[in-house]
Amino acid sequence: MKAKQEKTENKELRNDVEHHLGRVPNITSTDIGVAAADGIVTLSGYVGTHAEKLSAEKAALHTRGVKAVANDIRVRPLFEVTDPEIAATAVAALHLRTNIPEDQIKVTVKDGRIYLDGEVSWKFQKDAAESVMTNIPGMAGVVNRVKMTPAMSVVDVKEIIESAIRQNAKLDARQIRVASHDNVVELWGNVHNWFEKHEADMAARSAPGVTKVENHLHVIP
């Protein structure tokens, strides 16, 4: 009886995911397969762009009851695009984004997959470069190997974060301690609620060169 109930739940979850996929405007492929087992959803089949593959994964993750998604969808472009053409489009896309230091990022393409290398000072620059690549026609995926190189010393980063916390009206800087080492920031102390903990976390992540934030803040109402 229990096995039958689980089988019914899997079928319902699969139907819910399929319904959700059908409501996303930029998912146009009719070759996406969905399988569900105990909250784990597996996507298979083919789509025309990498952006469509990511949209399918996001739609599945936002479906109620989904615990995890295995995205086995393969990108099969609607028209053939050569590696040099993909590379040229990728470089042009970086050039159009004023918040990305294009002279610090190198683009290589092999078998439709884009590889990003180089060094930047801000994490948002690394993330933005990868985000731009997802819409390149014909690309099969992105490997982001861009490294983070802090533009400031550990002391400077610590002072910037402490200043940001002091300027945030929602945070009590006296209750938060900041430590920084090897591009990693640690937050210690107490806050009144989850929102304040999140605000402190975002202040730390906005500092130049920070690659990881270890948030040890305790929520004490």
Side-chain angles (χ1 to χ4, degrees):
M1 186 69 176
K2 183 178 180 180
K4 183 176 180 180
Q5 180 181 356
E6 290 180 351
K7 187 174 181 180
T8 300
E9 291 176 351
N10 292 337
K11 183 177 180 180
E12 291 177 348
L13 183 57
R14 183 195 67 197
N15 291 338
D16 289 343
V17 172
E18 290 177 342
H19 179 71
H20 204 165
L21 291 174
R23 299 184 63 181
V24 179
N26 64 328
I27 299 179
T28 59
S29 174
T30 57
D31 295 326
I32 298 178
V34 180
D38 301 324
I40 310 300
V41 170
T42 300
L43 302 177
S44 59
Y46 297 90
V47 294
T49 66
H50 187 70
E52 189 173 358
K53 175 180 178 177
L54 294 180
S55 293
E57 179 178 319
K58 184 177 180 180
L61 285 170
H62 281 75
T63 302
R64 179 183 292 273
V66 173
K67 300 176 182 177
V69 173
N71 194 343
D72 295 332
I73 294 175
R74 301 185 64 180
V75 178
R76 186 166 58 187
L78 300 178
F79 51 90
E80 184 178 354
V81 184
T82 65
D83 286 351
E85 290 173 331
I86 294 174
T89 304
V91 171
L94 288 176
H95 179 70
L96 293 175
R97 294 291 295 270
T98 58
N99 63 336
I100 302 175
E102 58 175 313
D103 57 328
Q104 296 174 226
I105 297 178
K106 180 181 178 182
V107 177
T108 56
V109 182
K110 183 177 181 181
D111 298 328
R113 188 172 295 274
I114 298 175
Y115 295 85
L116 300 177
D117 293 280
E119 296 181 353
V120 295
S121 299
W122 300 80
K123 189 177 186 302
F124 81 84
Q125 294 172 327
K126 176 178 179 176
D127 295 342
E130 180 175 342
S131 178
V132 169
M133 296 300 106
T134 61
N135 292 311
I136 303 299
M139 62 84 73
V142 183
V143 179
N144 193 343
R145 301 185 295 205
V146 175
K147 297 179 180 179
M148 297 285 297
T149 302
M152 300 183 181
S153 68
V154 169
V155 175
D156 290 334
V157 170
K158 182 174 182 292
E159 290 180 351
I160 287 175
I161 295 172
E162 289 176 340
S163 177
I165 291 174
R166 285 194 299 268
Q167 294 174 19
N168 191 321
K170 304 179 183 68
L171 300 174
D172 184 353
R174 297 170 300 177
Q175 299 295 320
I176 300 175
R177 301 187 306 278
V178 179
S180 180
H181 60 87
D182 301 326
N183 301 348
V184 177
V185 170
E186 297 180 4
L187 300 177
W188 299 88
N190 303 320
V191 290
H192 297 104
N193 51 54
W194 179 89
F195 182 75
E196 290 182 1
K197 182 175 181 176
H198 175 71
E199 286 288 301
D201 194 274
M202 294 303 295
R205 293 181 187 280
S206 65
V210 174
T211 59
K212 181 181 179 181
V213 175
E214 297 180 355
N215 196 333
H216 303 290
L217 293 173
H218 293 286
V219 177
I220 301 178

Coordinates of all heavy atoms in Angstrom, one line a residue, residues 94 100-107 115-120 125-126 129 146:
L94 N 30.9 40.6 -23.7 CA 31.6 41.1 -22.5 C 31.9 42.6 -22.8 O 31.9 43.4 -21.8 CB 33.0 40.4 -22.4 CG 32.9 39.0 -21.8 CD1 34.3 38.3 -21.8 CD2 32.3 38.9 -20.4
I100 N 32.0 44.7 -16.3 CA 32.9 43.6 -16.4 C 34.2 44.0 -17.1 O 34.2 44.6 -18.2 CB 32.2 42.5 -17.3 CG1 30.9 42.0 -16.8 CG2 33.2 41.3 -17.5 CD1 30.2 41.0 -17.6
P101 N 35.3 43.8 -16.4 CA 36.6 44.2 -17.0 C 37.1 43.3 -18.0 O 37.8 42.3 -17.8 CB 37.5 44.2 -15.7 CG 36.9 43.2 -14.9 CD 35.4 43.3 -15.1
E102 N 36.6 43.5 -19.3 CA 36.9 42.6 -20.4 C 38.3 42.3 -20.6 O 38.7 41.2 -21.1 CB 36.2 43.1 -21.7 CG 36.7 44.5 -22.1 CD 36.1 44.9 -23.4 OE1 36.1 44.1 -24.3 OE2 35.6 46.0 -23.5
D103 N 39.2 43.3 -20.3 CA 40.6 43.1 -20.5 C 41.2 42.2 -19.5 O 42.4 41.7 -19.7 CB 41.3 44.5 -20.5 CG 41.1 45.2 -19.2 OD1 40.0 45.0 -18.6 OD2 42.0 45.9 -18.7
Q104 N 40.5 41.8 -18.5 CA 41.0 40.9 -17.5 C 40.4 39.5 -17.6 O 40.8 38.6 -16.8 CB 40.7 41.4 -16.1 CG 41.4 42.7 -15.8 CD 40.9 43.3 -14.5 OE1 40.6 44.5 -14.4 NE2 40.9 42.5 -13.4
I105 N 39.6 39.3 -18.6 CA 38.9 38.0 -18.8 C 39.2 37.4 -20.2 O 39.1 38.1 -21.2 CB 37.4 38.1 -18.6 CG1 37.1 38.5 -17.2 CG2 36.7 36.7 -18.9 CD1 35.6 38.7 -16.9
K106 N 39.7 36.2 -20.2 CA 40.1 35.5 -21.5 C 39.0 34.5 -21.8 O 38.6 33.7 -20.9 CB 41.4 34.8 -21.3 CG 41.9 34.1 -22.6 CD 43.2 33.5 -22.4 CE 43.7 32.7 -23.7 NZ 45.0 32.0 -23.4
V107 N 38.6 34.4 -23.0 CA 37.5 33.5 -23.5 C 38.1 32.5 -24.4 O 38.8 32.8 -25.4 CB 36.4 34.2 -24.2 CG1 35.3 33.2 -24.7 CG2 35.7 35.3 -23.3
Y115 N 35.0 28.6 -22.0 CA 35.9 28.6 -20.8 C 36.3 30.0 -20.5 O 36.8 30.7 -21.4 CB 37.1 27.7 -21.0 CG 36.8 26.3 -21.2 CD1 36.4 25.8 -22.5 CD2 36.8 25.4 -20.1 CE1 36.1 24.4 -22.7 CE2 36.5 24.0 -20.3 CZ 36.2 23.6 -21.6 OH 35.8 22.2 -21.7
L116 N 36.1 30.5 -19.3 CA 36.4 31.8 -18.8 C 37.6 31.7 -17.9 O 37.6 31.0 -16.9 CB 35.3 32.5 -18.1 CG 34.0 32.7 -18.9 CD1 32.9 33.3 -18.1 CD2 34.2 33.6 -20.2
D117 N 38.7 32.5 -18.2 CA 39.9 32.6 -17.3 C 40.2 34.0 -17.1 O 39.8 34.9 -17.8 CB 41.1 31.9 -18.0 CG 40.8 30.4 -18.1 OD1 41.0 29.6 -17.1 OD2 40.4 29.9 -19.2
G118 N 41.1 34.3 -16.1 CA 41.5 35.6 -15.8 C 41.4 35.9 -14.3 O 41.2 35.0 -13.5
E119 N 41.5 37.2 -14.0 CA 41.4 37.6 -12.6 C 40.6 38.9 -12.4 O 40.7 39.8 -13.3 CB 42.8 37.9 -12.0 CG 43.7 36.6 -11.9 CD 45.0 36.9 -11.3 OE1 45.3 38.1 -11.1 OE2 45.8 36.0 -11.1
V120 N 39.7 38.9 -11.5 CA 38.9 40.1 -11.2 C 39.0 40.4 -9.7 O 39.4 39.6 -8.9 CB 37.5 40.0 -11.6 CG1 37.4 39.8 -13.2 CG2 36.8 38.8 -11.0
Q125 N 31.6 40.6 -10.6 CA 32.2 40.6 -11.9 C 32.4 39.2 -12.5 O 32.1 39.0 -13.7 CB 33.5 41.4 -11.9 CG 33.4 42.8 -11.6 CD 34.8 43.5 -11.4 OE1 35.7 42.9 -10.9 NE2 34.9 44.8 -11.7
K126 N 32.8 38.3 -11.7 CA 32.9 36.9 -12.1 C 31.6 36.3 -12.4 O 31.4 35.7 -13.4 CB 33.6 36.1 -11.0 CG 33.7 34.6 -11.3 CD 34.4 33.9 -10.1 CE 34.5 32.4 -10.4 NZ 35.3 31.7 -9.4
A129 N 30.1 37.8 -15.7 CA 30.7 37.3 -16.9 C 30.1 36.0 -17.3 O 29.8 35.7 -18.5 CB 32.2 37.2 -16.7
V146 N 37.6 32.0 -13.7 CA 38.1 33.3 -13.3 C 38.4 33.3 -11.8 O 37.6 32.8 -11.0 CB 37.0 34.4 -13.6 CG1 37.5 35.7 -13.1 CG2 36.8 34.5 -15.1

